[in-house]
Amino acid sequence: MGGMRAVSGAARVLALLAVLAAIGTVVVLALAVGEGGIEAVLAALLGLVLCAVGLWWFVAHRDVVRLFGAVLAVAAPAAVLVLFVHDGLWLTALVLLLCWGATLAFARAALRTSRPGRSAPAIPTARPRRPVLIMNPKSGGGKVGRFGLVERAEALGARVILLDPAAPADVAELAREAVAEGADLLGVAGGDGTQALVAAVAAERDLPFLVVSAGTRNHFAMDLGLDRTDPSRCLDALTDGEELRIDLGDVSGRAFVNTVSFGVYADVVQRPEYRDDKAGTALNLMPDLLLGEGVRLVDARADSTELAPQQALLVSNNPYVSPDELSGGGRRPRLDAGELGVIGIRVEDTAQAADLALRGSQSTSLTVLTAHHVEVTSDTDEIAVAVDGEALRMPTPVVCTLRPGALRVLVPRDRPGVTLPTPPVKWRKVVNLAFGRTERATGNAFNERPST
């Protein structure tokens, strides 16, 4: 059951500023009616809609329609700017933009300030005696060599297993062999897909696991608060570390640390040419996957909720703070909440593309929820699945669950830390904060949780 949480002074001040800035925006708009204020707002909204429509045509069609879509996506915002300058509306538009920008900035700051700390508690731990690290020299464009990770790890007393790019290895089996030979810590310098395979072995044996941010994007390392600019700093955990207990995802018996994707993205990454030409491969396949003969909508059930068929479905190990995280740069506030995040998207025409552009996370094209059990079904025996970015095919039904607190992660005591993500702006919550109203803390991943 949720409890009542008091509003902090800083959050209340920021929320009051947001409300005042919003009132100011309305006042400026009212005063500017005769100066073209309404026209400026309507022109901006029309430009946004036309840009979204152009992007939809560019992605979902080929040939002339794609070309026209690209032109529209660029021309629409450009035409709005020209209109503002020609009709003398640019100053009105600038003032409105600044007022609304201040409103959003204060609202988001208020919501960030009001959120309780959510990091997994750090546990002091002894220095490992026989750590074993598996390193992929190709990962992240050669970060292992560029940052001297092998030499530094060995200087700190670790045994390093360096993978041979010319001879693909079973990294999970290498990890099991290391444990059989006495390893008391397992670690990986590589991408998130490799991290997940070794993390599963560490969880099975209840051994600490070390993440070295030597991948390309390092989503897992980011959410652990590790330094992604200098992966060698992750190795400080070997001599001055502390332990975090976090959840480990499971998709039909295979571990994942970040996400499992179904639908369009999973179909695209199956193609062998994707690794060498991501953008080109996606643009070539999208028209068929979205509207053509290749359309295969995803059917799923999240706990007891039957989801409408989706074009793309993302299931994450703990929820991202906002459905906007489908873009790939998002963060998870915590990794120990024991819940899966579920984000689905379905856009089939220009009207839905425009609705998504205007309403964002409130669009009916988006499905956002949390669950403990997600089952994805199909009328075929197997479907494409992307597990932490790795292209796989799995027999249906595909079941996603969590193993709460299953993974012991060793992190440096001195690390950058997790930057608290910006929550979606919910105006009712902002108004409650502004007027000092207590609010009920809930367990919903996209709202606030009580402190633990």
Side-chain angles (χ1 to χ4, degrees):
M1 295 295 292
M4 301 305 291
R5 183 170 65 249
V7 178
S8 72
R12 184 179 182 184
V13 170
L14 289 167
L16 277 169
L17 290 173
V19 171
L20 291 174
I23 294 172
T25 303
V26 174
V27 171
V28 171
L29 183 59
L31 292 175
V33 167
E35 305 273 334
I38 296 295
E39 290 88 339
V41 172
L42 292 177
L45 292 176
L46 179 60
L48 178 62
V49 169
L50 291 177
C51 182
V53 170
L55 289 173
W56 169 251
W57 286 344
F58 177 73
V59 170
H61 296 273
R62 290 192 174 92
D63 303 326
V64 176
V65 178
R66 170 169 285 178
L67 177 61
F68 185 72
V71 171
L72 182 61
V74 175
V80 172
L81 292 176
V82 170
L83 176 66
F84 285 169
V85 173
H86 181 268
D87 290 354
L89 299 175
W90 67 270
L91 184 58
T92 301
L94 180 60
V95 172
L96 286 172
L97 181 62
L98 290 175
C99 289
W100 185 242
T103 301
L104 292 178
F106 285 130
R108 287 170 175 160
L111 293 174
R112 266 199 308 268
T113 305
S114 71
R115 299 166 77 193
R118 303 195 200 185
S119 300
I123 305 168
T125 186
R127 177 175 177 171
R129 296 182 178 180
R130 301 189 65 182
V132 174
L133 305 182
I134 298 174
M135 297 192 180
N136 181 356
K138 288 187 65 178
S139 187
K143 288 182 180 178
V144 168
R146 194 158 66 248
F147 288 91
L149 298 182
V150 174
E151 296 78 10
R152 175 159 172 73
E154 290 177 340
L156 293 173
R159 174 189 162 208
V160 175
I161 301 175
L162 194 62
L163 301 178
D164 183 357
D170 184 339
V171 293
E173 185 57 32
L174 290 175
R176 293 189 187 95
E177 291 174 0
V179 174
E181 294 169 4
D184 62 354
L185 174 141
L186 295 174
V188 174
D192 289 331
T194 306
Q195 298 277 3
L197 293 173
V198 180
V201 178
E204 289 171 5
R205 308 303 173 88
D206 196 30
L207 292 177
F209 178 66
L210 177 65
V211 176
V212 182
S213 56
T216 302
R217 295 184 177 177
N218 300 297
H219 286 166
F220 189 38
M222 175 175 65
D223 290 333
L224 289 169
L226 301 176
D227 191 334
R228 295 190 298 161
T229 61
D230 183 1
S232 66
R233 287 190 60 190
C234 301
L235 297 173
D236 293 342
L238 293 173
T239 55
D240 184 24
E242 55 189 12
E243 193 174 292
L244 306 176
R245 274 276 184 182
I246 67 170
D247 305 332
L248 186 63
D250 182 280
V251 51
S252 293
R254 181 187 176 103
F256 68 96
V257 293
N258 290 327
T259 60
V260 181
S261 297
F262 304 88
V264 172
Y265 175 72
D267 286 331
V268 169
V269 299
Q270 302 293 318
R271 299 301 181 99
E273 63 268 28
Y274 175 76
R275 295 301 174 188
D276 296 325
D277 184 14
K278 292 181 173 62
T281 303
L283 283 175
N284 183 53
L285 296 175
M286 281 297 185
D288 288 334
L289 295 176
L290 293 175
L291 299 176
E293 296 179 357
V295 173
R296 287 189 294 274
L297 299 178
V298 176
D299 296 310
R301 175 185 290 273
D303 290 341
S304 59
T305 302
E306 194 78 31
L307 304 185
Q310 304 288 312
Q311 288 168 319
L313 184 72
L314 180 142
V315 180
S316 58
N317 171 11
N318 283 264
Y320 284 93
V321 73
S322 165
D324 300 331
E325 313 303 3
L326 280 170
S327 62
R331 296 194 174 201
R332 290 165 288 180
R334 60 190 297 178
L335 294 170
D336 64 338
E339 288 183 308
L340 296 166
V342 183
I343 302 176
I345 185 169
R346 182 171 179 176
V347 180
E348 297 181 296
D349 53 39
T350 54
Q352 291 179 346
D355 178 69
L356 184 60
L358 287 174
R359 299 177 61 200
S361 60
Q362 304 303 311
S363 171
T364 55
S365 294
L366 283 175
T367 298
V368 182
L369 46 83
T370 62
H372 295 94
H373 181 279
V374 177
E375 181 174 309
V376 179
T377 58
S378 173
D379 56 3
T380 60
D381 293 336
E382 64 176 21
I383 57 173
V385 184
V387 181
D388 287 330
E390 299 293 324
L392 302 171
R393 297 196 69 85
M394 290 187 167
T396 54
V398 180
V399 177
C400 300
T401 56
L402 273 185
R403 296 169 59 191
L407 188 60
R408 300 166 54 193
V409 182
L410 186 68
V411 295
R413 198 180 307 274
D414 179 19
R415 60 189 185 279
V418 177
T419 301
L420 199 63
T422 300
V425 174
K426 297 186 177 180
W427 294 109
R428 180 177 179 181
K429 189 176 296 184
V430 172
V431 172
N432 284 341
L433 288 172
F435 293 101
R437 299 172 188 165
T438 56
E439 55 179 352
R440 185 169 296 279
T442 71
N444 188 308
F446 295 102
N447 292 297
E448 310 303 334
R449 292 189 184 87
S451 301
T452 55

